[in-house]
Amino acid sequence: MQRSYKKRLGEILIAAGLVTKEQLDQALDEQKKTGKRLGHILIDMGYVTEEDITETWALQLDIPHVYLSDYAVDPDVIQLVSENIARTHSIIPVSRQGDRLVVAMSNPLDVETIDLIQRETRLRVEPLMAPESHVQRAVMKHYTASGNHNGADLTSSIDEAIMDISYTPKETDYYEEDVNEARRQSDQAPVIRMVNLMIAEAVRSGASDIHLEPRAKTFELRYRVDGVLRHVRDIPKSIQAACISRIKIMGEMDISERRLPQDGRATIRAENRLIDLRISTLPTIYGERVVMRILDKANSIAGLDRLGFSESDLERFNSLIRKPYGIILVTGPTGSGKTTTLYSVLNAIKSEETNIITVEDPVEYEMSGISQSNVNVRAGLTFAAQLRSILRQDPDVILVGEIRDMETADIAFRAALTGHLVFATLHCNSAPSAIPRLLDMDVESFLISSAIIGVLAQRLVRVLCPHCAAPYVPSGEEINRIGLSAESDPLFHRPVGCSYCNGGFKGRMGVFELMTMNNEIQDMARLRASYAAIKDAAVRAGMTTMQQDAAQKILRGITSFDEVEKRVFVEDEDVSG
């Protein structure tokens, strides 16, 4: 059934003129690697929109389609289908007409799901087609509103935990709370359920991080979505200790230690897939603060052409990553997408003839066809120690998760000079500033000039929602800021917000700056030239600055001026940052 669905969808889209056979073949090849649904891959590649697929498929199959944001869902029929079925199978009941139940579905050919609903409701199902993201948003909205959670609602689980916990530590003796009592509380079913649902809700929202922050009288829960923190809810102070203890037990951390920061890791199943959590605790005056980084193992690695590169930069970067040896650095602050870029590179160059080994802290993506390893600082396995061992494994390509010190840099650079292609990340503000940054780390100037073949700097900006972005005529100051003249008469776009997006934005995209080494820049590195001089030479050699790349994305309506102003348009610095 699934195979014929894939074939039919591809044929329908080709017949409708929405994709070419070459594009479909490319998507099918990607599907073999990732296992994702064909429609999702075509959307990710930018060949079609979710609405294109829904409308075309509905027309060809003669099944009515609906946009749920414009549809009045009957709250009474929500009670007929459990939330578990609705979420798992991406369906939502919208109305009832006698013995017929009208159900919006992302895949109306899913006979097994239709049979399941008919058995549960004893009604005949009449399917409507709706985009999957619209269905999932409607499920979140209407099941929350209806209270039909079957024990799966986070708010009710918090209430259960409050009722279940009889012991509440006083603020004055928080650190003297009995450890056995903390463990007993954290092992209670309502607390376990509350923490699991908190994580599941974050995954469902597309969050990258979960923040649990103690306040004077509450315990605040926030999610970071598309790079922006947003308040979710306040959790009562009475269950703060139990919640933190439960998370620390999951991460195999010491629940009796509350005066020192701790780090841990956990793997759980949420939204029917495995999720890795990287957990960090930090003592504050009101208790321990917890941040959980969500590392979704099901996330597919994006192709390089979908990261946001301009055509010229993509061509130059593709040429660099296929060099036989040398070191390529990817720079930017934490959370700028460096690891995603590097794994997209590895996915593009891996083959049966190439031995690729990574050393990371931690491994964030699992990829077949390469060898991945974690550092373990507590056991003495640092980046430098691991890298020495990797060099004895006959590698062709090495990925170093981060160059943090001179010892790691020295080994990586010497490996690049002895016939290995090395990729590594480095914390600095721009591509030209990588050279002064390495010099500050006491890396020998001759190693820098001889080993580096390219430096990529990047940031992430939020992408405007295509459904609600509003055009406007920019001010003269905005036009000058992106380097245009007032006579150019450009049109910018600003976020509005709709049921499809998160405050006017949907997803994020890279903004890049690619510096390739030439003889002039190599000489400058050897002579320890200033940041400004290196940048001028890079621009003369054809480098498009991040500010220029961002300006082009503003003019194309991809992102907004305010978003770029906040994340990219910073004053030039002659330091590494």
Side-chain angles (χ1 to χ4, degrees), residues 374-389 407:
N374 279 311
V375 301
N376 188 340
V377 177
R378 290 180 182 175
L381 190 61
T382 62
F383 273 110
Q386 184 80 321
L387 192 50
R388 285 193 188 92
S389 299
E407 185 182 14

Side-chain angles (χ1 to χ4, degrees), residues 351-371:
S351 68
E352 292 181 357
E353 295 80 25
T354 306
N355 181 18
I356 301 175
I357 306 179
T358 77
V359 50
E360 304 168 71
D361 184 22
V363 171
E364 294 194 17
Y365 296 94
E366 291 186 1
M367 178 181 286
S368 61
I370 68 174
S371 299

Side-chain angles (χ1 to χ4, degrees), residues 229-249:
L229 272 174
R230 60 181 178 86
H231 173 82
V232 177
R233 67 185 76 227
D234 286 326
I235 298 173
K237 194 77 170 176
S238 60
I239 56 175
Q240 172 179 315
C243 180
I244 293 173
S245 294
R246 176 60 198 165
I247 292 169
K248 290 168 79 172
I249 289 171

